Structure formats: C-alpha cells, structure tokens
Amino acid sequence: MCRILIFGGTTEGRLLSEYCHQQKKKVWVSVATGYGKMVLPESPYLFVHETPMNEEEMEGFIRRNKITLVFDATHPYAAVVSKNIASSCEKTGTRRIRVIRESLTSVEDLGAGDHVVWVDSVEEAVKYLEEETGNILVTTGSKELVRFTRLDSFEERVYARVLPTVGVISACEEIGIKGKRLIGMQGPFSQELNEAMIRQYDIRYLVTKEAGSAGGFQEKINATEACQIKAVVVGRPVVESGMTLTEAKEFLSEYEAEEEEEDDKKSPSEAFGIRNVSLIGIGMGGPEQMTGQAVKALKESQVVFGAERMLKSIGDLIPGVNLIPWYLSHDILPWLNEHKEYKKIAILYSGDTGFYSGAKKMIEAFQTETKENQYEIEVLPGISSVSYLCARLSTGWEDARLISLHGRDGDVARELLKFHKVFALLDGTNTVNQVCGRLIEEGFGHVSLSVGERLSYPDERITTGTPETLKDGSFDVLSAIWIER
C-alpha cells in the first residue's frame, strides 16, 4: 500500500525517492513544479503530486490517502512550507520526520575565512552589496532575485544562475535580468565550473545560501577562495533537528518492510479491495450544478478524471486531489491497473450522465474488466441542459423530442413535423444559423425559437425569437435550442 509521503523538490527528496524506486517501495512524492517531477525517475513505485499545496491542502491530501508517515525533505530555507507540513501532520496525527541537510559552517569547512562575508538574510546581502562595486553572481534562486534589482546598475552588474525552466526564465526577464546575465543551469556545480563562470563574467561577489553539501555549497566557497573574490553567505534561518538522508533511508527501509510483509500475505484483490468509481454529471458549469451526493463523492476521491475544462471548474472544491485530463476508457483503465492504490475514483461528464453522455460506454468498459480488478460503479446524475434551459424558460419538457446534433446527424425540421416541442444540442457544423435556414425552408420561419448559450456560466445568454429574426445572429457553436410550434 502507499501510505508514505515525501515532500521533496530538493536533492535529498530526489535521492530518497530514488532509494524507494530501487527498493521497490511505494511512496507519494510531492513536488511544487513540473521540473521537480522531471528529475525523478520514471517508476511504478513513485506516485507524484506536482503542484504546490498550502496547509489545508496538505491536511486533506494526508487524510484522503491515509498517509501514516511524512518525510519533510524540503529546502532548508523553505521555512513556511516546513511549518505547514508540521501543522498538517499534527492535525492528522501523522508521524513527521524532517530530513536535514548537514551544515558546513565550521572554520575547517570554509577554509581561510577572510573571503567569506556572513549575513542573516538576502535583504542584508543586498545592503552589503550597495556599498561595494563590481559584478555579482547570485546563486540563491529566482524567488528573491527581485531584491537585487535595487542595486545601482543592476542590469550591468548582476548575473543570476537559476533553474532552466520556462517559468523561471520568464520571471527573471520580467524583472530586468536577461540575456547573457541570465544563466539557466541545474546544479549542483563543481568547483571548476564555478571558477570558470567567475572568470568568464569577471565576478567580484558570489551570493549563496549556506545550504549544505547537497547544494554544492563547499564547491562555491572553494571557488571564491581560488579566484580571490568575496563569498556573501546567507546563513540558515533556524537550527533544525531531524534525520540525515542516510538515517532516513534506514528508517524507511525498516518501516515499510513491516507494511510489505502484511501486504504479501494478501491476494491482489484482498490487498486493494473493491475500488469505487463514481461517474459524475457536473451539469453545465461548476460545483453549483452538481448534487450534494456528487460533491460528497468528489471530496472523497483520490483521483479525478475528466476534460481539462471540467477539472478546472471543480479544482477549488477538491484541493490536493490528483486531477488527470483524460475521459476515454482506453486511457483511464490502463492507468488504474498500474496504480491500484487508488480506491476512490471519479470520472466527470458534462450535463447529465443519462443524456447523450459518455458514461454509458465507460460503464461497459469497466464491466469487461477481469475479476482481479474489481470495481463498484456508481452513477451520479447532474443537471441536464434541457432541464436547465426549460426551467429558465418556465416551461416543461415532458412532451418534447430531445435530440443531439453534437457530432451527430439529424434534422430539426423533420422532428418538428412530428412533435410540437423539440430540444437540440448543436455544434460547429449544426449551428443556430444552419438550423434557422432549414426551419425556414420547411415553412417554420415563425415558430418560437430560444437559444441558450454558456448556460449556468456568468456570461450566460438566452435569446428568444423566430428563425426569421435569429437567422443572421451570432451564437456560440455549442448552443442548446428549444423550439415550440
């Protein structure tokens, strides 16, 4: 089972995750960026959550996934994140282990200390540099880089070494650090490479944080000494207690070995049990279009599938839940078979699950699964576009003909010959203008026609007229129409 969570994004987090991969031990790994995920090995034993979480989201994630052990392997300077992790673990009664980075602050470690200037914060480093001249290489990361733009002629003096991601590079360029003064590279770096950069850019001051051996700190200090320049070092904000990386690996090995022994005694179906799948109709828009039962099922889910626009509409409702933008069975089922630790699954559908919905095919796909992969399917309907539009028009639809021209062939005029009321879903081919033209051709130019656009959204629009008055109008391609004669 997957009951261990590593908060990573650091060298320690990566190495601890790699250890779990090597030992075939299942763990969750939480990273704040796509880059943090990219440096992790592709592994069936690592389940990655790649978006940052606040304290509330951490707490919800721990509860939903029944986490029993958390490793905080975040950066030594990520004090707020560590505080949130500690608080969420305390609230959930979950054991937390801080993975600490060994400090290198002794005189022996730093060599001759004349070339090292110690400061308490980045702000203090900037104040020190305001009184100095010469080029500066900043290696403290991109988040606090804007502080260095206070320096006179920073566009000419400041060189920044940052992670080579599009978001980071763009953020640096926005504050005025760009071109050859922006060095996108992933560390840690050797002493020789540090020396080469110092000489290449005629650096007089290298700004770094005391981040221990894993951050390449010693190599920076040695390079500044060899090049006879100053190292401006931001000291650690707090003195932490916890386990070293080696100690964390030893603890993890013993801790998970007990869990695996219990799981080994069970058959696959016993170990993972019946898995609950909720097929949820979310109506036309956001959470307000869903039933209370559907909202409850979503909040209990561990993973949610659906079209990207649907996932965005309900994302705030379920912070911390794994959201995957797939909606076809040939994508979803293989993924679920590889990730059997997910027991609470939700798949989203627009409108109602019983009205021209993909839910029917999904049910059939799950029913073909083998006995080993046991699924319990629950269908939770949403508010359909026909019931919503008719409610807005203050009319009933029990005697209407309901059709969909969304990706289908059909003839509204032919249906109107048989029925007094017709509701239809349209698309980019079967548009309002095309339907109006067809109705006029068949002598229905003066029937009542209502067009619903962006139903339930803030910019919803419902227009009522006749095919003659609406034939030249501009309407959304995914409109719904209601016709009465």
Side-chain angles (χ1 to χ4, degrees):
M1 304 299 287
C2 191
R3 296 288 181 263
I4 297 173
L5 170 61
I6 299 172
F7 283 96
T10 58
T11 300
E12 289 82 6
R14 175 177 60 80
L15 293 175
L16 195 58
S17 300
E18 288 177 355
Y19 170 79
C20 293
H21 163 69
Q22 294 161 2
Q23 300 298 314
K24 299 183 178 180
K25 300 182 185 299
K26 294 179 179 178
V27 294
W28 281 99
V29 185
S30 175
V31 294
T33 64
Y35 187 83
K37 178 181 180 180
M38 185 176 69
V39 298
L40 294 173
E42 287 286 339
S43 171
Y45 305 101
L46 303 183
F47 308 102
V48 183
H49 183 278
E50 63 174 289
T51 54
M53 293 188 279
N54 59 29
E55 182 183 332
E56 181 183 357
E57 291 167 339
M58 290 177 184
E59 181 184 345
F61 187 91
I62 290 170
R63 291 189 189 280
R64 276 190 304 276
N65 294 285
K66 299 180 181 178
I67 301 298
T68 58
L69 176 65
V70 169
F71 285 96
D72 177 3
T74 57
H75 196 277
Y77 285 85
V80 173
V81 177
S82 284
K83 181 181 178 182
N84 289 341
I85 293 171
S87 179
S88 61
C89 287
E90 182 179 351
K91 290 178 180 177
T92 57
T94 307
R95 180 166 186 176
R96 177 185 68 92
I97 294 175
R98 175 62 169 146
V99 181
I100 58 173
R101 186 173 291 182
E102 295 185 17
S103 180
L104 298 172
T105 56
S106 67
V107 174
E108 291 78 16
D109 287 327
L110 297 176
D114 292 344
H115 66 294
V116 180
V117 177
W118 286 88
V119 294
D120 292 329
S121 64
V122 171
E123 185 71 26
E124 190 176 328
V126 173
K127 289 181 180 178
Y128 169 79
L129 292 167
E130 285 176 339
E131 306 298 323
E132 307 298 328
T133 58
N135 292 344
I136 304 160
L137 177 58
V138 180
T139 66
T140 55
S142 62
K143 290 184 179 179
E144 297 177 291
L145 192 56
V146 68
R147 297 178 186 272
F148 291 89
T149 61
R150 287 173 23 202
L151 297 171
D152 290 338
S153 304
F154 79 89
E155 301 95 333
E156 302 297 325
R157 294 182 63 198
V158 176
Y159 291 77
R161 192 165 71 192
V162 298
L163 288 174
T165 67
V166 174
V168 169
I169 298 297
S170 298
C172 292
E173 290 178 338
E174 285 180 7
I175 64 174
I177 298 178
K178 50 192 173 182
K180 72 176 184 178
R181 289 170 177 77
L182 187 55
I183 307 166
M185 297 179 70
Q186 165 68 23
F189 305 96
S190 66
Q191 177 181 333
E192 291 75 17
L193 185 53
N194 284 318
E195 289 183 25
M197 288 187 181
I198 289 169
R199 295 190 175 102
Q200 173 70 27
Y201 301 112
D202 191 23
I203 301 299
R204 307 312 304 159
Y205 299 89
L206 185 150
V207 184
T208 183
K209 290 181 178 179
E210 198 289 271
S213 59
F217 175 73
Q218 185 66 69
E219 288 76 8
K220 295 177 191 176
I221 296 299
N222 292 344
T224 58
E225 184 176 19
C227 295
Q228 298 183 345
I229 69 169
K230 293 281 188 182
V232 181
V233 182
V234 181
R236 291 194 183 188
V238 293
V239 177
E240 296 184 298
S241 60
M243 292 185 182
T244 64
L245 178 61
T246 300
E247 292 169 337
K249 288 180 180 179
E250 292 174 354
F251 182 90
L252 181 58
S253 175
E254 295 174 3
Y255 183 89
E256 197 166 10
E258 296 176 1
E259 283 195 344
E260 287 180 346
E261 285 176 7
E262 289 300 314
D263 283 346
D264 287 343
K265 298 175 184 177
K266 302 175 182 179
S267 66
S269 60
E270 289 175 325
F272 295 102
I274 294 177
R275 304 164 75 185
N276 301 107
V277 180
S278 297
L279 307 184
I280 299 174
I282 67 167
M284 286 70 62
E288 68 277 359
Q289 296 297 313
M290 292 188 290
T291 64
Q293 190 179 13
V295 172
K296 181 175 182 292
L298 263 184
K299 290 184 175 180
E300 292 176 350
S301 297
Q302 297 167 305
V303 60
V304 179
F305 297 91
E308 191 168 356
R309 67 179 179 83
M310 299 182 200
L311 296 178
K312 286 182 179 179
S313 72
I314 54 89
D316 292 340
L317 187 67
I318 48 174
V321 174
N322 194 6
L323 306 179
I324 300 180
W326 294 341
Y327 50 87
L328 298 177
S329 60
H330 64 68
D331 292 321
I332 294 173
L333 287 175
W335 191 93
L336 290 176
N337 290 338
E338 291 181 8
H339 299 80
K340 295 185 178 181
E341 73 282 2
Y342 289 93
K343 290 187 177 181
K344 298 284 187 179
I345 302 147
I347 305 174
L348 305 183
Y349 297 92
S350 62
D352 177 56
T353 50
F355 185 61
Y356 293 100
S357 171
K360 181 179 179 181
K361 288 187 177 179
M362 187 64 71
I363 293 171
E364 293 171 354
F366 273 106
Q367 288 174 342
T368 63
E369 284 294 283
T370 63
K371 200 169 185 180
E372 185 174 324
N373 299 311
Q374 298 182 54
Y375 294 100
E376 187 175 88
I377 309 299
E378 179 181 37
V379 181
L380 302 175
I383 298 175
S384 68
S385 51
V386 59
S387 63
Y388 183 92
L389 180 57
C390 286
R392 299 285 278 113
L393 295 173
S394 300
T395 188
W397 52 278
E398 65 276 358
D399 54 346
R401 170 62 169 161
L402 310 180
I403 63 173
S404 174
L405 302 182
H406 185 80
R408 294 176 171 84
D409 294 326
D411 188 339
V412 172
R414 187 184 307 137
E415 299 294 343
L416 199 57
L417 288 170
K418 304 174 187 176
F419 300 91
H420 287 272
K421 300 176 182 178
V422 175
F423 171 87
L425 298 173
L426 306 184
D427 64 7
T429 300
N430 298 288
T431 64
V432 173
N433 310 98
Q434 189 270 343
V435 169
C436 285
R438 177 67 181 132
L439 289 171
I440 292 170
E441 278 180 20
E442 294 297 326
F444 293 120
H446 299 288
V447 297
S448 175
L449 172 64
S450 297
V451 182
E453 303 170 81
R454 303 278 299 166
L455 295 176
S456 83
Y457 286 89
D459 56 345
E460 169 186 291
R461 185 175 72 155
I462 298 176
T463 307
T464 298
T466 68
E468 287 284 359
T469 60
L470 300 180
K471 64 180 180 180
D472 297 321
S474 177
F475 301 97
D476 192 282
V477 295
L478 297 180
S479 297
I481 59 172
W482 176 260
I483 310 168
E484 290 189 42
R485 66 173 173 85

